[in-house]
Amino acid sequence: LTLPGLYKGALGLDIDAHGRLYIANTEAKQILRYDPRAGQVDTVCGVDLVKPTGIRVDSTSGVLFIADLHAFKAITVTKSLPPTPPTLNMDLANLLCQDAEDTFSDVTFLAEGREFMAHCAIIAQRCPKLKDAINHSDGKPVALEVSYKCLVSALFFLYTDRCIVDQTTQHDLLAFADRYDVCRLKCLVEEYMLKRVNLDNVLETLRTAHRCHADRLKKACIKIVIRHFAILQGKIPSSGLAELPELLTELILSMPK
């Protein structure tokens, strides 16, 4: 590390919580502070020094301790408190508490006969297709063909970018994400389902993946069906795949010759 300035027998060094370097410039009888972000060196004033040989900075209390020949001295420096954890996600999630007066909600969604209040500004920014649905609702509740639990999970994602999905919502949530072009949510749900495909659910998952244009999930399901075709063949007639002739054709064409 090359620092600007002239140093005479610098014997003490320490770094604060923000990466600023404190230097005991011993023969020059001064304490210097180098800020790498600003790229400059400043003199830290406060006391007369004889021969500072060691320093230690307490970032939390904002005190710089100096070993000055046979004495110990302390001077006040800028506190460098560690950054507090962000609260934006929690603050936005709190907007979904369903208290219209406290949260200033201005749009209502309807799923399975139950209402859920939200905010046009957030929905419009995060999901333009839902914005269009709101614009065509004439101020009435926007009815969505999803389960209420799926609606809550989807809106929670739009507000916080956090995906909460389980086996009871995965199919609905994937369909919601596909229908309303919420690409990141779709990728996260698809990844969740990919890790949980098995012989018991592969045909149902294949049908959902095809309808929701989830190509990675669909390819993985087709591979499993082909690999275990002898076991799954008897389940195909009752699986609903007959309603999707194009998918059956794709499955047949994927079979090894």
Side-chain angles (χ1 to χ4, degrees):
L1 176 64
T2 302
L3 304 179
L6 182 62
Y7 304 91
K8 298 180 179 180
L11 296 178
L13 296 173
D14 199 11
I15 298 176
D16 69 13
H18 287 318
R20 292 176 295 197
L21 177 65
Y22 287 79
I23 306 162
N25 199 12
T26 305
E27 299 300 328
K29 303 178 182 179
Q30 61 184 183
I31 303 297
L32 305 176
R33 178 174 56 209
Y34 171 66
D35 188 340
R37 291 172 295 184
Q40 63 184 27
V41 177
D42 299 313
T43 301
V44 179
C45 301
V47 294
D48 293 327
L49 300 174
V50 179
K51 192 175 183 179
T53 56
I55 54 175
R56 179 69 65 189
V57 60
D58 184 340
S59 299
T60 303
S61 62
V63 176
L64 178 65
F65 299 95
I66 306 168
D68 186 26
L69 197 57
H70 302 299
F72 286 95
K73 300 174 181 178
I75 61 175
T76 301
V77 294
T78 304
K79 292 182 180 181
S80 302
L81 298 176
T84 57
T87 63
L88 180 60
N89 275 354
M90 184 58 67
D91 293 338
L92 289 173
N94 286 338
L95 291 176
L96 296 172
C97 72
Q98 300 306 288
D99 189 328
E101 292 185 3
D102 281 351
T103 65
F104 301 98
S105 57
D106 52 5
V107 62
T108 300
F109 292 99
L110 188 65
E112 295 184 326
R114 300 172 64 183
E115 295 184 344
F116 197 91
M117 295 178 291
H119 304 80
C120 286
I122 295 177
I123 299 299
Q125 182 63 34
R126 296 280 284 157
C127 184
K129 279 199 171 183
L130 271 184
K131 172 189 172 184
D132 293 339
I134 294 171
N135 288 337
H136 290 89
S137 67
D138 296 325
K140 299 177 182 178
V142 181
L144 301 178
E145 295 181 4
V146 296
S147 68
Y148 183 79
K149 188 175 181 180
C150 171
L151 172 63
V152 174
S153 296
L155 290 178
F156 186 82
F157 173 81
L158 294 179
Y159 276 63
T160 67
D161 208 45
R162 292 174 58 192
C163 177
I164 297 179
V165 57
D166 58 27
Q167 293 186 354
T168 66
T169 60
Q170 58 184 358
H171 294 277
D172 271 356
L173 210 50
L174 186 65
F176 175 95
D178 179 64
R179 184 181 304 125
Y180 294 103
D181 289 341
V182 188
C183 297
R184 176 168 159 74
L185 176 60
K186 182 176 177 179
C187 289
L188 292 173
V189 176
E190 185 176 8
E191 188 69 25
Y192 173 89
M193 296 178 72
L194 268 170
K195 296 176 180 178
R196 290 161 178 82
V197 180
N198 55 50
L199 293 181
D200 293 328
N201 63 27
V202 63
L203 295 177
E204 180 186 11
T205 303
L206 175 59
R207 188 174 69 247
T208 298
H210 177 74
R211 287 174 170 168
C212 297
H213 312 96
D215 292 336
R216 283 183 63 215
L217 182 59
K218 179 179 175 179
K219 290 178 181 177
C221 290
I222 288 177
K223 287 182 179 179
I224 293 174
V225 172
I226 292 174
R227 189 178 303 124
H228 302 280
F229 189 74
I231 298 174
L232 297 170
Q233 184 177 9
K235 299 179 181 181
I236 290 179
S238 60
S239 67
L241 294 184
E243 302 170 6
L244 303 168
E246 70 280 7
L247 177 57
L248 278 177
T249 300
E250 183 177 349
L251 183 60
I252 292 169
L253 292 176
S254 300
M255 293 286 183
K257 305 299 182 184

